[in-house]
Amino acid sequence: MLLPPGYIVPEYFRFPGDCATGLKFTEIPNGLAALTKVPGAGWTQIFLFLGLVEKGLYTYDPTRQPGDYKNAGVLGVPNGSTMAPGEGRNRKLNSELANGRLAMMAIIGMFFQDGLTGSAWGDWAAYTDSPLRAFENELGVQAPVGYFDPMGMSKDGDEKTFLRRRESEIKNGRVAMFAAMGFITPEYVRFPGYLAPSQQLKFTDVPNGLAALSKVPFLGWIQILIFCGMVDFGLYRADPSRAPGDYENGGILGVPNASGPMADAEGRKRKLNSELANGRLAMVAITGMLFQNGMFGTTGPAMWGF
C-alpha cells in the first residue's frame, strides 16, 4: 500500500537537496529507472531500514491475530495497543487485507506499464511492440480490457490469421451458449419417447451432464458429429467479403437463408460485439458447469453446493 503512493508522489514532489554526494533527489528518475541510479550505500540503508521495521516494529505475537502486531497494534502504529477481540478489529483487519490485495495488483500493473513504456506514467502509445497496435480497432475489442492478447499471438499483424481466430471464437461462443442452456434445460424438461428404440433407451433414461457421455449410443455420437459438420460447412460458411460471424448462409445471427451483409455497419458491429461478449461469458459458464458437475457428480442444485 505504501508502494503505489510512492510511485505517484515523485511525479509531483521531490525532496530538496542531495540524496548522495553529487546526486540530487531531483536527478533520480521515478519508477524502475531509479534502480540504476540509487548508489550502493543507499540500497544498504534501505535494507537496514526494512530489517528494523520487520524485526522491531512488526514483531509477531502468537497470542494476537495476524496483522495485530506486538509493537505496532492492529493498524501498524508504533506502541499501538491490542484491540479487544470483536467486530471492530475483524472489520479493520479485513479492510486492510482487501486494500492490500488491491494495492498488490496496482503496483504490479504500474511495474508492467513502467517496464513496457519506459517511464512510471508512460503513454501506452510508446509501447511500439504492443500487440494492440495490430487490431485494437477490430471487432471484439471491448471495455474494460480492450484488445486482450496477453500472449501476443497476433503481434505479427497477420490479418488473415486474426480473422480466422475471431471467427473460431464466435463459433465456439455460439456452441457454448447452446451448451450452457443444454446443461440446464434437461433438469426441467425431456423429450418424450425413445432416443434409441432398438436399445429401448428413452430420453428420460439418459442422465444430464457428463454422465450422459457413457449413455449415448455410438450411432448417436455419429449423428451428432454429422449434424455439427453440416452446420459448420453448410450454414456457417465463411465469406471473405463479410465480417467474421456474418456468414454467407447464416447471416449475422446464424439464421438459415439470411439475406446479404447488413447494410447498417454500426448495427452489425453492435450485434456481433454483443454476441462475442455473450459467447465469452457462455464459454466461462459452461466450463464452470463442467467442473462443478465433475466435482459433485450432478447437474442439479447440489452442483452449486446447496
Side-chain angles (χ1 to χ4, degrees):
M1 285 188 280
L2 292 174
L3 280 173
Y7 235 74
I8 299 170
V9 171
E11 293 292 320
Y12 304 97
F13 171 80
R14 299 292 182 94
F15 287 111
D18 294 334
C19 173
T21 304
L23 180 66
K24 296 181 180 297
F25 284 103
T26 54
E27 294 173 345
I28 299 177
N30 192 16
L32 297 176
L35 297 176
T36 60
K37 299 295 184 180
V38 177
W43 285 113
T44 300
Q45 292 173 351
I46 290 172
F47 281 109
L48 285 174
F49 174 74
L50 292 176
L52 288 169
V53 171
E54 180 73 18
K55 299 298 183 182
L57 186 60
Y58 291 159
T59 304
Y60 175 67
D61 183 347
T63 65
R64 302 164 76 148
Q65 275 190 319
D68 189 7
Y69 295 104
K70 182 177 180 180
N71 295 327
V74 73
L75 298 179
V77 180
N79 299 317
S81 60
T82 301
M83 288 187 66
E87 187 63 31
R89 184 171 68 174
N90 289 338
R91 184 178 66 254
K92 290 183 178 180
L93 287 173
N94 279 326
S95 297
E96 184 184 32
L97 276 170
N99 292 334
R101 290 165 180 166
L102 177 62
M104 285 186 276
M105 295 296 294
I107 193 60
I108 290 172
M110 291 177 177
F111 284 153
F112 268 95
Q113 185 176 12
D114 187 354
L116 293 172
T117 64
S119 63
W121 292 98
D123 185 353
W124 280 110
Y127 179 26
T128 56
D129 292 332
S130 172
L132 297 175
R133 297 290 165 265
F135 306 108
E136 57 186 348
N137 296 317
E138 290 289 340
L139 183 72
V141 179
Q142 303 177 28
V145 296
Y147 181 63
F148 187 70
D149 184 18
M151 297 180 64
M153 297 180 68
S154 298
K155 183 179 178 179
D156 56 4
D158 187 336
E159 183 178 6
K160 186 177 180 180
T161 301
F162 168 80
L163 293 177
R164 177 177 58 80
R165 288 172 177 157
R166 177 63 77 228
E167 187 165 320
S168 297
E169 182 184 19
I170 291 173
K171 287 182 179 180
N172 290 332
R174 289 178 176 177
V175 170
M177 285 189 275
F178 280 116
M181 291 188 293
F183 233 74
I184 299 170
T185 302
E187 292 293 322
Y188 303 98
V189 63
R190 299 288 185 99
F191 286 115
Y194 290 91
L195 172 64
S198 62
Q199 299 183 26
Q200 294 296 302
L201 181 65
K202 296 182 179 181
F203 284 102
T204 53
D205 295 333
V206 179
N208 192 17
L210 295 174
L213 296 176
S214 62
K215 299 295 183 180
V216 176
F218 176 75
L219 289 178
W221 285 113
I222 297 296
Q223 292 174 346
I224 291 172
L225 292 176
I226 291 175
F227 174 75
C228 290
M230 292 177 64
V231 171
D232 195 33
F233 292 103
L235 184 61
Y236 290 161
R237 188 166 62 245
D239 182 346
S241 67
R242 303 166 75 145
D246 189 7
Y247 297 105
E248 182 179 354
N249 294 331
I252 191 172
L253 299 179
V255 181
N257 301 317
S259 58
M262 288 183 64
D264 182 5
E266 187 60 35
R268 180 176 65 182
K269 184 177 181 180
R270 184 179 66 255
K271 288 182 178 181
L272 286 172
N273 274 328
S274 297
E275 183 182 36
L276 272 169
N278 292 334
R280 289 165 180 169
L281 177 61
M283 285 187 276
V284 174
I286 191 60
T287 302
M289 290 178 181
L290 291 172
F291 268 97
Q292 286 182 293
N293 186 190
M295 291 285 290
F296 290 94
T298 176
T299 57
M303 183 179 74
W304 309 106
F306 296 146

